[in-house]
Amino acid sequence: MSATCIAVVGLQWGDEGKGKIVDWLAADAQHVARFQGGNNAGHTVVSEGRKMVLHLIPSGILQPRVRCYIGPGVVLDCAALEQEIAMLQAEGCDPGGRLTVSPGCALILRHHRELDRARERGCTRIGTTLRGIGPAQEDRTARRAVRLRDVWAGRHADLVHTSVQRANLELEALGCSRLDAAEVADEACTAARTAKPYAGDVAAALIGARQRNDRILLEGSQGALLDIEQGTYPHVTSSTCLASGAAGGLGVDLRPHVVGIAKAYATRVGNGVFPTELDGDDAQLLRAEGEEFGATTGRARRVGWLDVPALRHALAINGCTNMILTKVDVLAGRESVKLCTAYVHGSERSERMVPDSSWLAEGRPAYETHAGWPAVSAKGKLDPAAAAYVERIEHLCEARVDVISVGAEREANIVRRHPLLSAA
Ligand code: IMP
Ligand code: MG
């Protein structure tokens, strides 16, 4: 039996290559849905030499005939959606008729972006993407969010007023100007118009797809270590980044088979603990070779060695035993490669990460050193040294590496077991 619904989730701090993998898998799927996050995501897809970055619309949109969904778990910036639709149209890929946006999405409005920026100018920085994600999610959990359906029904003015009034208190305290609630409400109304032609019942569409036994991909954004509960709190995003979040974020539990994406080394953008971080020339070289600059903000990503205890944690909380390892080509050409296998606290050795920033900061990563490998390509066999590195990761993580990605192009993959097409 082959899988019909797969959740593709990040096992690190985001930027594992989910966009590339979803775009590739979508060639054999009919539906791709986003269930969490917002336009903080930056999913890079390279096909036929063309590079595109998607922030909101699922990466599956680039495959003709694939239907895409933005579930109610996504916080929606309508202006960002409009820009992305225009970008796709300019590239000759019209999402019209293939994109469904849930009316249940909570909106990111101007005061959310302003608050995010004002807070990040202060001294307790998270290093956010400045897209207003955190403040919009706060409104949602405080039960004062403005949803797309509220704007379409014309009942948003009071809701926007309440939300802006609250934001103004904090903006003023941070030395910023107050915003005019009526202006923000008007803006919301204009922006929400773009999304109207795409409105639809995401859960009903996916239930129908399941009944027809269509192949469905659930595209996670960010990664397990940025998860609000299980990540490196407080330096996390404001939503769940785990596969288990998909049921709530879509309105239907599709019981997906979970495929975790991990990069062959580690990166992180923004602040927070990063036990295996490299510095100096080593960091610069890896950053340059891996082109590790944020797809959303352009920031230089912090880089480091692969962290197995963190991966073990990420796999466990996602109920995941199958991985795709990306950017194995980037590590090629080195004499040796390091792998963090445990954290050491005094005489204690831990093989699984505890999601607590202080615990992580107080520990010391223990490494083993592996022989490096020459260039790898999707054609031919994996070099024995690269194969040994992958096998060691599988052994330590108690998980199988099904695909080894060796380049940014859609087809640059060594496929040991196709997640959608192979027999389980
Ligand atoms: P926010 O999601 O913009 O609030 O940012 C919170 C933290 O998550 C910051 O460290 C961001 O850099 C990080 N983050 C959010 N989205 C992504 C992503 O898609 N990739 C990598 N890091 C992200
Ligand atoms: Mg990214």
Side-chain angles (χ1 to χ4, degrees):
M1 194 188 78
S2 58
T4 53
C5 181
I6 288 184
V8 176
V9 292
L11 297 175
Q12 294 159 308
W13 284 284
D15 307 314
E16 300 90 354
K18 296 178 291 295
K20 175 209 150 147
I21 297 300
V22 168
D23 168 64
W24 169 65
L25 287 175
D28 295 295
Q30 287 86 41
H31 311 268
V32 184
R34 279 274 311 265
F35 58 91
Q36 49 77 228
N39 59 322
N40 48 349
H43 293 168
T44 306
V45 176
V46 180
S47 118
E48 287 145 27
R50 270 191 326 175
K51 179 171 160 177
M52 260 184 266
V53 181
L54 292 155
H55 302 285
L56 264 174
I57 299 176
S59 305
I61 201 76
L62 301 177
Q63 296 280 7
R65 292 183 300 280
V66 169
R67 303 191 73 88
C68 291
Y69 307 87
I70 297 179
V74 172
V75 279
L76 189 70
D77 184 325
C78 289
L81 180 69
E82 185 174 2
Q83 272 177 23
E84 201 156 296
I85 290 171
M87 182 275 287
L88 285 168
Q89 285 169 339
E91 292 284 344
C93 170
D94 192 348
R98 295 199 291 131
L99 175 66
T100 305
V101 179
S102 169
C105 291
L107 297 182
I108 301 179
L109 300 171
R110 182 143 60 99
H111 55 293
H112 298 128
R113 291 187 295 266
E114 296 277 332
L115 265 182
D116 200 357
R117 276 197 287 269
R119 289 176 187 172
E120 288 291 310
R121 283 194 292 268
C123 45
T124 49
R125 285 184 207 130
I126 302 288
T128 73
T129 60
L130 306 178
R131 297 298 185 269
I133 303 291
Q137 294 281 19
E138 283 165 33
D139 269 2
R140 174 144 72 173
T141 37
R143 293 157 291 181
R144 58 168 173 258
V146 185
R147 293 159 308 162
L148 212 37
R149 62 160 57 91
D150 299 319
V151 183
W152 289 337
R155 56 167 183 256
H156 60 291
D158 287 351
L159 295 167
V160 173
H161 189 263
T162 307
S163 174
V164 171
Q165 287 308 99
R166 221 234 111 258
N168 275 340
L169 296 175
E170 191 178 342
L171 284 170
E172 259 186 335
L174 291 167
C176 304
S177 329
R178 293 172 67 87
L179 297 179
D180 183 272
E183 267 177 36
V184 178
D186 280 353
E187 240 172 61
C189 203
T190 311
R193 236 172 256 145
T194 320
K196 194 74 202 277
Y198 301 94
D201 188 334
V202 168
L206 291 173
I207 290 166
R210 180 175 57 184
Q211 279 162 354
R212 291 190 300 276
N213 232 8
D214 285 354
R215 294 201 190 102
I216 307 167
L217 300 174
L218 310 181
E219 180 177 10
S221 52
Q222 292 81 48
L225 306 180
L226 287 173
D227 180 78
I228 182 80
E229 301 278 1
Q230 291 295 333
T232 49
Y233 192 88
H235 298 101
V236 292
T237 191
S238 304
S239 66
T240 177
C241 309
L242 310 181
S244 54
L250 293 171
V252 50
D253 186 1
L254 298 168
R255 302 287 158 109
H257 172 69
V258 184
V259 174
I261 316 296
K263 194 140 63 178
Y265 50 94
T267 62
R268 149 158 231 181
V269 264
N271 303 348
V273 63
F274 185 177
T276 64
E277 184 168 15
L278 286 164
D279 56 16
D281 291 348
D282 291 340
Q284 259 189 19
L285 184 69
L286 184 52
R287 183 178 303 119
E289 287 178 343
E291 293 177 42
E292 296 295 353
F293 297 90
T296 298
T297 58
R299 289 179 291 178
R301 295 181 186 138
R302 298 157 68 192
V303 298
W305 297 117
L306 188 67
D307 185 333
V308 169
L311 269 189
R312 285 171 61 88
H313 171 65
L315 288 161
I317 56 179
N318 275 298
C320 175
T321 53
N322 298 78
M323 286 192 277
I324 293 180
L325 200 62
T326 62
K327 292 194 150 183
V328 174
D329 55 311
V330 172
L331 289 183
R334 279 154 206 277
E335 213 165 278
S336 62
V337 171
K338 281 192 182 183
L339 195 59
C340 167
T341 54
Y343 301 132
V344 180
H345 289 79
S347 58
E348 228 175 274
R349 216 180 129 85
S350 313
E351 263 119 34
R352 178 172 162 182
M353 179 189 131
V354 173
D356 177 71
S357 292
S358 316
W359 184 89
L360 279 164
E362 286 155 14
R364 179 176 58 79
Y367 292 103
E368 54 181 41
T369 304
H370 288 256
W373 50 87
V376 288
S377 94
K379 298 184 187 82
K381 268 185 83 150
L382 194 61
D383 178 86
Y389 179 71
V390 174
E391 265 152 43
R392 184 68 178 146
I393 294 167
E394 288 183 304
H395 176 77
L396 292 169
C397 290
E398 299 172 82
R400 196 159 68 180
V401 173
D402 287 336
V403 180
I404 299 161
S405 162
V406 293
E409 280 282 341
R410 191 180 269 171
E411 298 295 336
N413 306 307
I414 297 172
V415 185
R416 295 162 148 191
R417 181 184 171 277
H418 193 291
L420 272 172
L421 305 179
S422 305

